[in-house]
């Protein structure tokens, strides 16, 4: 929603500017090929419900349609811009290269946060036999409450999607009748793929808590955005991005026998600040 609001603002602004007649205005052509770019920004994420399977020596069960949400850091200058805190919010950062005038290849990290909603009721199928009187048993389409003594499950440092993207940039100044040297408006669209390297914080059935990074799976994504460049080198970008995540190897305790698996869809709104530059 935040990206949509920003996009609407820029469209309104540029339409207004486009109606102003600027005598003898002739924009020098901006070339991108051979330039590098980098950005830093923030995301607001949402997730589809997912089935999560938990496996260990004495249990094997699946929770169906588990709901989750992101975890936003409360906005303040200290929380978002203090150097020691800059990686705490949900962030996106990337570096890339224009290998053609309108095409880029880049590598970056989408640092999202995924938090299972506590105390929700879900359906369970499978078996638990770990010596826990409350939860041991065989389950077939039964309902269970995800209480604190049963499960707390989150990827909060975070749901790290390390990915490569190929994107196209299309200058759309002419849509608004603009011919300004120091303002350029671009529509971006592209595809990405990568791996998931989450730090998963899990408490499961009283087992020793796990909270370490682990290579857990892969992701696919696609996005569209509006890029507004100022003075040829700086830009603000608003992105809408969605994708699919599949994690067949999630660590849930310190035991090598314990693991979980899940897959789900995600959607991001992103606000990004960056720059373009040449190395030589």
């Amino acid at each position: 929603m935040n990206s949509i609001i920003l996009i609407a603002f820029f469209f309104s602004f540029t339409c207004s500017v486009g109606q102003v007649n600027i005598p003898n205005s002739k924009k020098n052509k901006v070339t991108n090929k051979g330039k590098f770019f980098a950005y830093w920004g923030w995301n607001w994420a949402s997730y589809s419900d997912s089935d999560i399977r938990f496996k260990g020596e004495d249990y094997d069960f699946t929770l169906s349609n588990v709901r989750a949400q992101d975890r936003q850091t409360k906005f303040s200058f200290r929380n978002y811009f203090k150097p020691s805190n800059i990686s705490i919010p949900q962030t996106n950062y990337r570096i890339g290269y224009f290998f053609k005038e309108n095409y880029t290849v880049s590598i970056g990290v989408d640092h999202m946060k995924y938090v299972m909603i506590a105390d929700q009721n879900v359906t369970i199928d499978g078996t638990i036999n770990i010596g826990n009187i409350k939860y041991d048993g065989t389950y077939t389409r039964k309902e269970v409450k995800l209480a604190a003594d049963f499960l707390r499950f989150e990827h909060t440092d975070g749901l790290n999607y390390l990915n490569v993207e190929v994107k196209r940039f299309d200058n759309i100044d002419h849509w608004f009748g603009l011919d300004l040297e120091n303002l350029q408006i671009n529509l971006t669209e592209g595809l990405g793929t990568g791996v998931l390297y989450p730090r998963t914080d899990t408490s499961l059935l009283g087992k020793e808590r796990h909270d370490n990074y682990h290579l857990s799976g892969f992701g696919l994504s696609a996005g569209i955005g509006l890029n507004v460049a100022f003075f040829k080198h700086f830009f603000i970008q608003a992105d809408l991005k969605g994708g699919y995540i599949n994690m067949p190897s999630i660590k849930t305790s310190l035991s090598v026998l314990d693991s979980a698996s899940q897959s789900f869809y995600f959607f991001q709104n992103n606000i990004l600040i960056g720059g373009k530059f040449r190395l030589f």
Side-chain angles (χ1 to χ4, degrees):
M1 180 61 67
N2 295 279
S3 293
I4 295 172
I5 293 172
L6 187 61
I7 289 173
F9 169 78
F10 279 124
F11 267 81
S12 176
F13 168 76
T14 51
C15 284
S16 298
V17 173
Q19 293 172 359
V20 178
N21 293 322
I22 304 176
N24 301 321
S25 170
K26 185 63 179 177
K27 180 173 67 177
N28 292 330
K29 181 176 175 59
V30 177
T31 58
N32 289 319
K33 185 177 179 180
K35 286 183 179 179
F36 290 84
F37 71 91
Y39 68 61
W40 180 278
W42 303 273
N43 69 71
W44 292 257
S46 58
Y47 311 102
S48 65
D49 297 350
S50 68
D51 297 346
I52 310 176
R53 182 180 181 183
F54 294 88
K55 295 196 305 181
E57 184 176 12
D58 300 313
Y59 63 92
D60 185 346
F61 63 90
T62 298
L63 304 175
S64 298
N65 298 318
V66 178
R67 293 177 290 118
Q69 61 191 10
D70 68 352
R71 176 177 289 164
Q72 291 295 331
T73 300
K74 184 177 180 180
F75 181 80
S76 71
F77 188 88
R78 177 186 179 89
N79 287 342
Y80 277 73
F81 296 101
K82 184 180 178 181
S84 60
N85 294 339
I86 200 168
S87 65
I88 294 176
Q90 298 181 173
T91 56
N92 295 57
Y93 44 97
R94 181 169 299 278
I95 186 167
Y97 178 71
F98 282 87
F99 64 92
K100 287 188 175 182
E101 184 61 29
N102 296 97
Y103 286 93
T104 67
V105 60
S106 64
I107 185 168
V109 178
D110 295 9
H111 173 75
M112 298 174 278
K113 295 186 179 183
Y114 176 103
V115 182
M116 183 197 78
I117 297 173
D119 300 318
Q120 63 180 289
N121 293 316
V122 300
T123 301
I124 180 172
D125 291 276
T127 60
I128 300 174
N129 186 27
I130 63 173
N132 185 313
I133 296 175
K134 184 176 180 180
Y135 292 112
D136 277 3
T138 298
Y139 298 89
T140 303
R141 304 300 297 169
K142 291 186 178 180
E143 187 175 275
V144 64
K145 182 178 182 179
L146 301 184
D149 62 346
F150 184 80
L151 178 66
R152 288 291 185 262
F153 181 79
E154 55 188 57
H155 313 290
T156 46
D157 197 24
L159 181 66
N160 300 310
Y161 176 39
L162 289 68
N163 60 93
V164 175
E165 286 186 344
V166 175
K167 278 193 170 183
R168 178 180 171 89
F169 277 63
D170 291 295
N171 181 254
I172 57 173
D173 290 1
H174 61 281
W175 288 11
F176 313 104
L178 294 178
D179 190 19
L180 303 176
E181 182 175 351
N182 292 318
L183 176 68
Q184 186 181 46
I185 304 172
N186 303 288
L187 186 67
T188 73
E189 59 278 335
L191 301 172
T193 186
V195 298
L196 273 297
Y197 191 60
R199 184 175 178 178
T200 303
D201 185 355
T202 308
S203 297
L204 174 65
L205 294 169
K207 287 178 169 288
E208 191 170 2
R209 177 173 170 265
H210 182 274
D211 188 14
N212 293 307
Y213 293 101
H214 180 69
L215 184 63
S216 298
F218 69 92
L220 302 170
S221 55
I224 184 169
L226 188 71
N227 174 285
V228 181
F230 302 91
F231 304 108
K232 303 179 184 180
H233 297 291
F234 307 100
F235 63 83
I236 296 174
Q237 186 167 315
D239 279 351
L240 301 175
K241 184 174 183 178
Y244 170 75
I245 285 173
N246 188 312
M247 294 190 290
S249 178
I250 303 168
K251 295 304 299 176
T252 58
S253 82
L254 298 181
S255 171
V256 296
L257 300 176
D258 294 332
S259 67
S261 60
Q262 69 175 146
S263 62
F264 54 88
Y265 296 95
F266 72 92
F267 182 79
Q268 289 183 41
N269 290 277
N270 304 321
I271 301 295
L272 314 165
I273 303 170
K276 297 186 289 186
F277 55 92
R278 294 187 186 275
L279 291 182
F280 48 85

